[in-house]
């Protein structure tokens, strides 16, 4: 998991966060072994911005990935930061078993899972007809 955190730390350097100054880096490892990074990309029209986690996810899906093992999310806050609800939901589409590392550039880290962050998630199976 250390490699994934390191990838997220490096990616975070490219975060585009001129409005919040809150820079986030993410690194998502697919079952293929490939790692996809993401950063938050803000916009002058504020709601148009996107979080680091979703940037990584859409990049991976665009490359043909559908199965994911782990994600690391890095901020420079004193304590690790937690992904927003929209990112949790987007990630849950591909499985709540995802391992999640919430880390800081200073070395703090919390290991959890998407299932713990989004219990009883609404997912593809929720749409199954009775
Ligand atoms: N942000 C992320 O990229 N990931 C998170 O998990 C939480 C928030 C971004 C969105 C926005 O650009 C900035 O952090 C402040 O909310």
């Amino acid at each position: 998991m250390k490699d994934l955190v390191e990838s997220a730390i490096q990616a975070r350097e490219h975060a585009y966060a001129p409005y919040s100054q809150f820079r986030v880096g993410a690194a998502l490892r697919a079952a293929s072994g490939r790692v996809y990074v993401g950063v938050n990309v803000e916009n002058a029209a504020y709601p148009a911005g996107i979080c680091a986690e979703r940037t990584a996810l859409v990049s991976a899906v665009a490359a043909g990935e559908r199965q994911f093992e782990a994600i690391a999310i890095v901020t420079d806050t004193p304590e690790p930061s937690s992904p927003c609800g929209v990112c949790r939901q987007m990630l849950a589409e591909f499985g709540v078993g995802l391992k999640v590392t919430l880390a800081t550039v200073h070395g703090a880290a919390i290991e959890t899972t998407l299932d713990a962050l989004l219990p009883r998630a609404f997912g593809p199976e929720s749409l199954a007809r009775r």
Side-chain angles (χ1 to χ4, degrees), residues 20 22 24 40 42 50-53 73 82-84:
S20 71
F22 190 80
V24 186
N40 53 331
E42 297 185 347
I50 187 169
C51 295
E53 298 88 327
I73 303 159
S82 209
C84 82

Side-chain angles (χ1 to χ4, degrees), residues 4 17 22 32 39-40 52 54 68 72 95 105 110 121 124 126 129-130:
L4 215 52
F22 190 80
S32 66
V39 297
N40 53 331
R54 275 177 288 152
F68 302 103
V105 296
I110 293 169
S126 308
R129 297 188 194 285
R130 288 166 171 251

Side-chain angles (χ1 to χ4, degrees), residues 43-117:
N43 191 275
Y46 291 3
I50 187 169
C51 295
E53 298 88 327
R54 275 177 288 152
T55 309
L57 179 66
V58 298
S59 171
V61 173
E65 305 285 4
R66 294 282 174 87
Q67 290 184 304
F68 302 103
E69 290 179 347
I71 189 169
I73 303 159
V74 171
T75 56
D76 71 349
T77 44
E79 298 298 324
S81 186
S82 209
C84 82
V86 176
C87 288
R88 294 178 200 206
Q89 183 63 34
M90 283 280 294
L91 290 165
E93 180 74 14
F94 298 94
V96 291
L98 187 71
K99 292 177 188 160
V100 180
T101 303
L102 310 174
T104 74
V105 296
H106 315 294
I110 293 169
E111 303 288 349
T112 184
T113 64
L114 191 55
D115 193 36
L117 292 170

